[in-house]
Amino acid sequence: MELSEHIALNRQLAESICQRLSEEINILGFAEAEIEHYPFYDNASFELIKDPYTGEQNLSCYWYDEFTKQRIGRLQFNSDGSFYAEYDVVKTHPGKLNWFVEGVTAWGKADSIKTEPKLLPMPT
């Protein structure tokens, strides 16, 4: 299967995952102006990666900051139907000043998308 076919095949699930990641960011309570970018499937760069266990091609999606060109997120679809995503936030938690929000993650399969923030305690 070609890259474009993988992109199309995973579109509906990927858009749901992006929506859930964005919701997870919003739940944290940041003001709208504080978040510069959200994960959108069409803004990703796509690549096929060979699964070392099955030998099948997995679709990997990467998001980059438009100014620094550093990677700020990743979504990988695995050949077993599972996925894992992470997206950077890199801000002090708006409601818990002793915590830092590194990012948000999502994982699961099409029928079960789980998300959570990646929090780190602030140094004292």
Side-chain angles (χ1 to χ4, degrees):
M1 189 181 323
E2 297 291 322
L3 178 60
S4 60
E5 294 171 298
H6 279 275
I7 294 168
L9 180 67
N10 289 291
R11 176 171 293 283
Q12 183 175 359
L13 177 55
E15 289 176 349
S16 294
I17 295 165
C18 289
Q19 179 64 36
R20 291 290 301 278
L21 288 168
S22 297
E23 289 170 1
E24 192 67 38
I25 293 169
N26 292 337
I27 286 169
L28 293 167
F30 290 102
E32 189 174 320
E34 287 184 85
I35 303 300
E36 298 171 25
H37 41 72
Y38 285 90
F40 292 104
Y41 189 56
D42 289 332
N43 292 348
S45 297
F46 303 98
E47 184 178 330
L48 292 177
I49 308 258
K50 186 175 181 178
D51 184 316
Y53 181 70
T54 65
E56 294 184 38
Q57 297 291 326
N58 294 335
L59 177 63
S60 287
C61 314
Y62 301 101
W63 290 281
Y64 296 92
D65 181 275
E66 64 182 292
F67 301 109
T68 67
K69 305 301 181 208
Q70 291 184 346
R71 191 171 83 185
I72 57 173
R74 176 176 156 257
L75 167 58
Q76 180 162 326
F77 293 98
N78 301 311
S79 57
D80 67 356
S82 67
F83 68 86
Y84 178 79
E86 55 189 3
Y87 197 80
D88 293 346
V89 175
V90 192
K91 295 191 176 295
T92 301
H93 193 294
K96 301 176 183 177
L97 300 180
N98 294 337
W99 290 91
F100 183 78
V101 181
E102 183 180 1
V104 291
T105 60
W107 68 95
K109 293 191 174 197
D111 60 344
S112 178
I113 300 173
K114 297 177 172 63
T115 60
E116 70 179 3
K118 293 173 21 179
L119 303 177
L120 299 170
M122 294 289 274
T124 54

